Amino acid sequence: MAEVEETIKRIQSQKGVQGIIIVNAEGIPIKSTLDNSSTVQYAGNVHQLLLKARGMVRDIDPQNDLTFLRVRSKKNEIMIAPDKDYFLIVIQNPTE
Amino acid sequence: MNEAEKTIKRIQAQKGVEGVIVVNAEGIPIESNLDHQRTLHYTYNFQQLLARTQRVMKDLDPQNEASLLDIQTEKNNILISTGKEKYIYTRTIL
């Protein structure tokens, strides 16, 4: 658990990082640096997106798989790193 | 049309770029260097993903919207940019 805390601290110390959320395979956030309501919103929405993206990739090539997803928007950047049992969401303000 | 062609040529000149597809506002691919079937397959799939992404972004913040979707897979990298015309391009990881 200490390793997880350290990793979160390390990511948070990067410039522009607004939030970090760890979500389990069921889409339930288990750790977050954001408030409860934002966390739940991000976790649920991003989970859906992740499943869709992975489905698309597999549809195009069943031997391929999603390794990372990044959504860049006007206001920020959302990075999603999927793993076997969890996925990590990092929201940051991209440095100019 | 010419703008799209120029942009495609520029993107294609990048190392490792495999496919470039330009999709118009109606969701119809208007330019592509991939074969017809692949173009349609990619367009259909990623249109849906892009629509879903935009909905998610609006949900999280009604004033915000996605400008670029970057999908990394084991074999390659697919980038989808939004705007009046959408560009989808795939790149093999070198």
Side-chain angles (χ1 to χ4, degrees):
Chain A
M1 225 358 179
E3 214 186 306
V4 175
E5 296 287 346
E6 265 185 53
T7 307
I8 292 183
K9 279 211 174 67
R10 187 170 47 86
I11 298 174
Q12 246 191 315
S13 65
Q14 303 284 328
K15 233 182 2 176
V17 171
Q18 292 176 334
I20 304 165
I21 308 168
I22 301 178
V23 187
N24 72 6
E26 275 85 57
I28 299 166
I30 58 169
K31 203 136 184 68
S32 172
T33 63
L34 297 173
D35 60 84
N36 211 2
S37 101
S38 300
T39 299
V40 167
Q41 247 203 322
Y42 268 98
N45 269 312
V46 168
H47 189 217
Q48 291 301 312
L49 202 59
L50 188 60
L51 293 176
K52 193 105 179 123
R54 187 180 268 145
M56 300 273 154
V57 169
R58 292 253 181 87
D59 194 35
I60 289 188
D61 178 359
Q63 256 107 47
N64 203 3
D65 199 7
L66 184 72
T67 57
F68 194 74
L69 190 58
R70 186 167 67 97
V71 183
R72 184 157 190 148
S73 68
K74 289 195 291 196
K75 297 189 180 178
N76 56 21
E77 192 170 63
I78 304 171
M79 288 165 287
I80 305 144
D83 196 69
K84 202 165 48 107
D85 306 307
Y86 304 94
F87 63 94
L88 177 71
I89 304 170
V90 176
I91 304 136
Q92 79 166 8
N93 243 321
T95 42
E96 294 306 323
Chain B
M1 216 31 155
N2 216 1
E3 273 302 314
E5 279 177 359
K6 275 197 229 166
T7 309
I8 292 190
K9 285 223 163 61
R10 186 168 50 84
I11 296 172
Q12 262 191 289
Q14 307 276 333
K15 244 197 329 195
V17 171
E18 201 188 305
V20 184
I21 305 167
V22 183
V23 181
N24 73 2
E26 277 84 53
I28 300 166
I30 56 176
E31 282 283 337
S32 172
N33 66 341
L34 300 173
D35 62 79
H36 199 57
Q37 207 182 8
R38 275 231 283 178
T39 300
L40 290 179
H41 200 186
Y42 269 82
T43 305
Y44 174 70
N45 267 310
F46 292 108
Q47 278 282 95
Q48 294 205 317
L49 185 61
L50 193 57
R52 175 67 78 106
T53 306
Q54 292 292 27
R55 276 207 303 277
V56 166
M57 296 309 285
K58 276 260 140 52
D59 235 12
L60 292 170
D61 178 356
Q63 260 119 39
N64 202 11
E65 67 176 11
S67 57
L68 179 76
L69 194 55
D70 181 354
I71 300 155
Q72 288 183 25
T73 71
E74 283 168 13
K75 297 186 185 178
N76 56 16
N77 190 202
I78 300 161
L79 290 107
I80 306 168
S81 82
T82 65
K84 209 162 47 133
E85 283 176 336
K86 302 180 222 328
Y87 293 84
I88 304 170
Y89 63 103
T90 64
R91 196 170 71 190
T92 41
I93 297 173
L94 300 161

